Amino acid sequence: MNVVTVNHPSSLERRYWSLAILLVFLAAAARSPAAIPTLTVQDQRLILANGFVYLEFDQAHPSIDVIRADFSGQGGYGPNLVATNLSAGTGIVLETVDADGRVHRASEAASTITYQVLQQDAAGIRLRIRGLQDRKGQPVAMSTWTLSLPTNSRNFTLTARTVISHSQPVKAVEIGIHLNQWFMNGLFQRGAMQYVHSGDRIFFTTNRLHAFYTMDNHNGSVAVVPRRIPDSTGWAMRSDGDGGGVGLDAISASHYPTKDQWSTVDWKSAPSVQPSDGAVFQTRLDIYPNNYAFPVFSVPANDPMRFRDLRTLYTAIYGSAAGVLGSFKYDGSAYPTLAAPQRPYGDMYTFFDPDAWSTVTTLSFSGDPYLQDQARRIVELSAAHMRHGQIPHHFIAGQPTYIAISKATQTGPNIFWTLAAIDYATGTGNEAWLREHYPQLKAATDWVLGFYDPNRKLLKVGGPLFIDVFIRQGYTLDSNALLLHLLPLMASVARFCGDTAGAERYARLADAIKQGLNAGLWNGRDHYVTQRNPDWSIRDMVDYDGNYAAIAFGATTDPHRIAAIYRRLDGGPHTHPGNRGTWVSEKYYGPTNCYGGNTGDSATAMARIWWLDLDSRYVTGDLTNFYRYFEPIQNDLLQHTWLTERYNAQGQSIRAPCYHEYPEITAMILREMIYGINVKINRVRIKPFGPHRYHYQVGDLDVSYSPNRVRLHVPGHNDRTYEIYGLRPHTTYAISTGQTTTTNPDGTAVFEAPVGRTITLSSSAMSAP
């Protein structure tokens, strides 16, 4: 991408970023190591706290019935994150289920509790609690718990040693975790299982659990990560009845009758089990509370990122991108929405038009190995069903379909599947995977290029790129403009994979299509037209997606032409409704312009077009409008956690609730444009848009940036070209590899260095002449 204009920040923008930098330093100070954890005994309560985590064990009603958190580690704890509904279960508690289906809880047994402090020093606290039993009289199960709370940690550990003291038929022996949140997600070895609070429901499985977490707009988050769990352990995700929340049971003994699917709770019909006297069950769980609506099990306690942006990223990653996974049932499935509890799009999933692309990209750059593997499985599902180079448009209950819901054949699935595959490889550093799957990327790209007309230097297609109900046919702007994004990337991938001829072909076609766009689709004044028909006549709706894409991907770099396009597009009455999202077109797509007369996408602002809009601002240096249109969506995400599918002409949320697209693209824009971290298979580009100093750390991707010093770690192998922008002009920088580099007049450094290791760039005492 070429920068064609540079709009220098206004005084207001400079004050904004000065304040932002100050907040970064204050936030870093606020997240400094907390005090040594404390133990307080008060009113028969054992209270442990370390600034990040606060928990109470109730000796009178043995259970952990209070868990609160402060993400900053300063002891300003939020609300109680565990349920206190006595009928549905309280907090974290030892439970058994009788042969008649009755649940017995230690919290109701009022047994005598004793405790012993095993450790209390600079490293943390370990507290052993004895005397828990499931019922009064003759208990079936007795348990000893050890609570560990480290210093400067966002989690505590519960280790439970449960012994069968009286053998009798029971339905289950378990540790019940009853929580206050609405949304839950179980990340199992087989796949992800997501659900929300919806009456009295249960999901039982013996599949190995990687992590379980909850999220709620008002009641924060709790994550549970099992440690040293026997393979015989069963897990029950639960939606507790009226007045309850969601939860998880770690079940040591049970044969629940309905397995691996959601059902109404029915312990009575479960076969009984009878553990022998003296049988011992060990359970160890790391529990991560957070007062905000995102899980923190993958966030280090000393993460230095600006909190507002960190919260944005992890809300989008775990609320939407991971939230729409349905891979426990269908491997490689990514739905458009949460199951809340039904899905508005039913059993249709893994749309690459472009829905699954933003899901894959967000998961690939999540830094979470489990979620990155889910991204791979999404990409490979569609690859496995490639038909003569064509990627499925979506799947319906396990079966691929190759045309859109509107019955149009689209180029989008092939283009966005290929982009997603590249993002997976670069986000994870899995270069071997890219080499292995390059033939499929090549086949998918060449299927699209099969529509190329060398006489017109444009694709001639039968349907739209990514708004499937819109009639766009012939030599269309949308598909051709997106190829200016795809083909340069494929050229670099081909070269990386040893296909020199393919690389040259893709680069040559990108140049040709750019010529074709300007010769055939430019209207001569202020925008590119929707399409040329096969007879070369014009049909024009003044489409916003293709025109913003033409700027973003370099169809034109002429500042006068770009200014004319912006005047036309930004002058539309609904282009940026309430500064939220971006409208589809200047002219309304009425019934005759839509397949089947379906105008459902005609009067909406779409996230995918917002992405193109903001990318065009990024490459042209339009800082003012970039933030004018970015911040309202970021604010909505932080306020609501989940967003709807679209915005209307008034900037109000409409359509399907808990839709994935806006949150995921918000995360992508934050990383790629605001922080300017753009990782490709042949280069690493750091070109921030707004901030002059920052520290970005998500998993293995770690960038500390300032004009004088840059320190970065990018996953992967081999050497790549590093391009670092915003440094001091005409200055020599020392590189940790032993090289030096001198910046150009614009303050850009370019050098070769490996990825997969930390690279540091520091200004030296001597500047270049």
Side-chain angles (χ1 to χ4, degrees), residues 547-767:
N547 276 279
Y548 285 124
I551 299 173
F553 304 136
T556 179
T557 57
D558 180 346
H560 300 292
R561 181 174 288 192
I562 290 172
I565 295 173
Y566 277 139
R567 282 195 298 270
R568 180 67 182 263
L569 272 60
D570 292 354
H574 302 304
T575 312
H576 305 103
N579 291 340
R580 284 174 166 79
T582 306
W583 209 249
V584 295
S585 60
E586 180 181 292
K587 298 180 181 179
Y588 180 76
Y589 275 79
T592 60
N593 293 302
C594 298
Y595 291 102
N598 184 350
T599 60
D601 287 336
S602 300
T604 61
M606 295 187 179
R608 61 198 69 176
I609 306 176
W610 179 62
W611 163 64
L612 296 169
D613 184 350
L614 292 191
D615 204 359
S616 77
R617 315 289 172 174
Y618 176 71
V619 302
T620 57
D622 186 0
L623 192 72
T624 299
N625 284 315
F626 180 95
Y627 281 96
R628 176 179 294 142
Y629 305 138
F630 175 75
E631 289 184 341
I633 303 296
Q634 185 183 30
N635 291 339
D636 285 353
L637 178 61
L638 294 178
Q639 181 179 355
H640 301 294
T641 304
W642 294 277
L643 299 178
T644 61
E645 184 175 0
R646 308 276 192 255
Y647 289 92
N648 66 11
Q650 292 73 44
Q652 298 169 334
S653 297
I654 59 169
R655 301 278 292 268
C658 304
Y659 200 85
H660 72 101
E661 193 170 359
Y662 269 107
E664 292 168 354
I665 290 180
T666 301
M668 291 167 54
I669 291 169
L670 189 62
R671 172 179 51 82
E672 290 188 357
M673 301 179 201
I674 293 177
Y675 286 95
I677 302 170
N678 197 314
V679 180
K680 295 296 182 281
I681 199 62
N682 61 328
R683 61 155 173 81
V684 176
R685 177 178 293 160
I686 308 297
K687 189 179 182 182
F689 198 50
H692 302 292
R693 290 175 173 80
Y694 68 75
H695 195 143
Y696 179 103
Q697 181 180 345
V698 178
D700 287 342
L701 182 57
D702 190 344
V703 180
S704 178
Y705 174 90
S706 74
N708 292 320
R709 188 174 188 271
V710 180
R711 183 178 183 272
L712 65 166
H713 182 279
V714 175
H717 308 278
N718 304 310
D719 285 354
R720 296 191 200 174
T721 300
Y722 284 73
E723 302 172 6
I724 314 295
Y725 290 71
L727 304 176
R728 296 167 58 191
H730 297 296
T731 301
T732 299
Y733 285 76
I735 306 170
S736 56
T737 57
Q739 309 162 261
T740 61
T741 184
T742 302
T743 57
N744 67 13
D746 295 325
T748 302
V750 180
F751 58 93
E752 299 289 321
V755 291
R757 57 184 280 192
T758 299
I759 301 296
T760 302
L761 187 74
S762 303
S763 61
S764 63
M766 183 178 296
S767 296

Side-chain angles (χ1 to χ4, degrees), residues 302-424:
N302 60 347
D303 193 300
M305 194 186 305
R306 181 187 178 213
F307 175 65
R308 175 180 169 84
D309 295 340
L310 181 149
R311 183 183 170 196
T312 299
L313 288 170
Y314 285 95
T315 299
I317 290 167
Y318 288 98
S320 293
V324 299
L325 296 174
S327 50
F328 193 98
K329 184 175 183 180
Y330 293 117
D331 192 22
S333 62
Y335 289 81
T337 70
L338 304 186
Q342 302 300 318
R343 299 187 192 267
Y345 285 82
D347 55 5
M348 295 183 288
Y349 58 86
T350 309
F351 292 76
F352 266 109
D353 72 331
D355 294 54
W357 154 74
S358 59
T359 302
V360 167
T361 299
T362 304
L363 297 177
S364 296
F365 284 91
S366 69
D368 183 326
Y370 180 95
L371 298 183
Q372 291 173 325
D373 189 63
Q374 291 290 306
R376 176 189 61 80
R377 290 159 67 171
I378 294 169
V379 171
E380 290 183 357
L381 171 68
S382 292
H385 291 86
M386 182 185 292
R387 185 178 66 180
H388 308 301
Q390 185 181 10
I391 292 293
H393 184 276
H394 62 282
F395 290 77
I396 306 174
Q399 299 301 313
T401 183
Y402 296 84
I403 59 175
I405 298 173
S406 66
K407 307 306 180 186
T409 299
Q410 295 179 247
T411 57
N414 275 55
I415 292 174
F416 285 100
W417 176 85
T418 307
L419 292 172
I422 296 170
D423 281 342
Y424 165 71

Side-chain angles (χ1 to χ4, degrees), residues 143-162:
S143 194
T144 298
W145 287 8
T146 301
L147 300 178
S148 302
L149 180 60
T151 298
N152 196 33
S153 173
R154 289 198 173 98
N155 77 282
F156 69 94
T157 300
L158 166 62
T159 304
R161 184 178 188 274
T162 302

